[in-house]
Amino acid sequence: MSDAVPDFSQGPITPDLAVEWIHGSRSKQPNADPPLQVHHCDEHTIILRQSMSVSFEAPFLFLLFGNERALLLDTGATQEPADFPLRDTVDALIAAWLADHPQDDYELMVAHSHSHGDHIAGDEQFTDRPHTTVVGTELEEVQAFFGFTEWPTQVVTLDLGGRVLELTGTPGHHPTSVAVFDPWTGFLLTGDTVYPGRLYAADRARFGTSVEHLVQFAEARPVSHVMGAHIEMSRTPRRDYPMGATYQPDEPPLQMSMDQLRAVRDAARSAAKPGLHVHDDFIIASGMGPRTVVPLLLRAYAQRARALLPHRI
């Protein structure tokens, strides 16, 4: 740690991903998880996870520091600071970073991988924060802020001050979805488009096109890890934790590989029929008709039923 100006052109580094993420507690047992887990991948890169005791969505958030501003990508699934102290946590992390890299009027930019509620709920905690910009959640606001003129395949840059991110559109999961490449860590931040879990492709054609574009974007860059926004699979191949689960003791790592990203692309090519298309590391929920929704609801119901049964300690 020092007050020297970081040289972000020296990436990609080797980020620290040796972390055991909080993963909830069994029913009827006290939950010891904090509302937010904070993990430093390096001095300038932080991943946060929301506790399942606050929201079963348990999304991951990313805080990236540059020399002039920081980016917070996503604000979680809960609005109330008393339950989810995101603003206080981020303020403390920025203050600690500035103690080693002093400067005045350091900016915070709050943006989103996409505009589903479990990624934007905490926005209001930042609306009155000084030197802070909260990017809007409508497609036109996202395009205008980042400078997209040829959506979605255009690649645009976001300069945090020496740390220059690249963004492109991936609207297969949600119309506002973006992917972010960080040359400093080699992270490709994919939101809900690709992660170890259920990949919802309501518009199958658009999802396939987005994943094709995402692979092309990634293959042209030194991607070290594909970093989504949730974990829903278990370490057992082809087995996920059903929707609404609040205890996931056997999660795989958050980070995925380029080979796994290509596997999602290949699976999307073959997921022509509606329904759940189950693979080792992910599930594509193709379409949102009865063939997809009914199995999801049945799995969630079974999970809740099991949670009511007594457990041996």
Side-chain angles (χ1 to χ4, degrees):
M1 299 284 187
S2 71
D3 58 4
V5 176
D7 181 3
F8 292 106
S9 68
Q10 299 303 306
I13 61 164
T14 302
D16 177 10
L17 292 172
V19 53
E20 181 177 348
W21 296 111
I22 55 175
H23 51 258
S25 300
R26 289 186 184 275
S27 177
K28 300 182 181 180
Q29 288 186 344
N31 193 304
D33 291 345
L36 267 168
Q37 179 181 6
V38 176
H39 174 68
H40 287 75
C41 297
D42 74 284
E43 181 183 356
H44 314 294
T45 309
I46 298 172
I47 305 177
L48 305 97
R49 190 184 198 182
Q50 184 170 359
S51 171
M52 291 181 181
S53 67
V54 181
S55 170
F56 74 88
E57 298 281 5
F60 290 85
L61 293 60
F62 296 84
L63 182 62
L64 312 180
F65 290 94
N67 289 320
E68 297 174 6
R69 60 190 61 85
L71 170 68
L72 175 64
L73 188 69
D74 289 344
T75 61
T78 303
Q79 178 179 338
E80 296 78 11
D83 299 322
F84 183 53
L86 178 61
R87 163 79 179 270
D88 288 348
T89 302
V90 170
D91 282 351
L93 292 170
I94 293 176
W97 190 88
L98 288 174
D100 293 306
H101 309 282
Q103 57 180 284
D104 296 326
D105 300 336
Y106 189 73
E107 300 175 11
L108 173 65
M109 185 179 300
V110 178
H112 315 94
S113 62
H114 63 293
S115 299
H116 276 149
D118 55 320
H119 299 268
I120 66 172
D123 282 11
E124 291 189 11
Q125 296 188 31
F126 297 92
T127 54
D128 62 348
R129 187 183 186 279
H131 310 296
T132 299
T133 300
V134 180
V135 180
T137 58
E138 297 298 325
L139 178 58
E140 294 78 9
E141 295 174 304
V142 173
Q143 292 171 330
F145 182 84
F146 292 116
F148 284 105
T149 57
E150 298 179 13
W151 178 263
T153 57
Q154 183 182 5
V155 176
V156 300
T157 59
L158 178 64
D159 190 350
L160 302 182
R163 188 175 188 172
V164 182
L165 311 177
E166 294 183 282
L167 293 80
T168 194
T170 55
H173 174 73
H174 186 275
T176 63
S177 292
V178 296
V180 181
F181 174 65
D182 173 29
W184 171 248
T185 57
F187 285 173
L188 178 64
L189 308 180
T190 54
D192 282 6
T193 301
V194 175
Y195 63 92
R198 294 177 296 276
L199 310 181
Y200 293 97
D203 185 326
R204 301 191 299 277
R206 178 173 288 182
F207 181 80
T209 300
S210 288
V211 176
E212 293 274 2
H213 172 56
L214 184 59
V215 171
Q216 294 173 3
F217 176 78
E219 288 182 335
R221 288 157 179 83
V223 171
S224 61
H225 302 90
V226 178
M227 308 293 285
H230 300 277
I231 301 174
E232 293 166 351
M233 301 302 288
S234 73
R235 289 182 182 269
T236 302
R238 304 174 64 85
R239 182 176 298 173
D240 65 323
Y241 290 98
M243 183 172 55
T246 56
Y247 180 55
Q248 299 185 172
D250 193 33
E251 292 181 335
L254 173 65
Q255 62 271 19
M256 300 178 77
S257 68
M258 280 296 301
D259 284 344
Q260 289 172 306
L261 176 60
R262 294 186 188 98
V264 172
R265 175 201 59 194
D266 295 344
R269 288 173 174 171
S270 62
K273 295 182 179 180
L276 299 183
H277 299 264
V278 181
H279 299 266
D280 284 355
D281 307 315
F282 58 89
I283 295 171
I284 295 181
S286 184
M288 292 307 291
R291 293 184 181 180
T292 302
V293 174
V294 171
L296 288 173
L297 293 176
L298 289 175
R299 294 162 74 85
Y301 177 81
Q303 168 72 15
R304 293 189 179 96
R306 285 194 296 270
L308 297 175
L309 297 174
H311 295 282
R312 292 182 179 180
I313 305 301

